[in-house]
Amino acid sequence: MRTTLDVDDRVLRAARALAAQRGISLGRAVSELALRGLADPQRATSSTPSGFPLLPRPANAPVITADVVAAHRDDE
């Protein structure tokens, strides 16, 4: 479907880079990026309501809880 979009400059740069890398149209690249966000909404979220950024966590990485922090707070 043909449409006109007003997108952030960073999104446009990312889509252009993806299009060039894969040899696809800009529209297809924008669609792929949007579909990635729809497929994994957690990945698309860049920050919490408090504004702190979310970083991806490897599947085998331990979860850091307040109890873990408290246990190591005085370690030197």
Side-chain angles (χ1 to χ4, degrees), residues 27-62:
R28 180 69 189 145
V30 170
S31 293
E32 284 188 19
L33 292 171
L35 289 169
R36 285 184 199 173
L38 290 172
D40 189 359
Q42 182 66 23
R43 180 178 172 192
T45 302
S46 61
S47 64
T48 63
S50 65
F52 287 99
L54 296 177
L55 303 174
R57 183 176 66 87
N60 60 346

Side-chain angles (χ1 to χ4, degrees), residues 13-29:
R13 283 193 300 273
R16 282 185 175 151
L18 180 64
Q21 179 185 23
R22 295 203 180 161
I24 59 177
S25 71
L26 180 59
R28 180 69 189 145

Side-chain angles (χ1 to χ4, degrees), residues 11 15 20 60 74:
V11 173
N60 60 346
D74 297 325

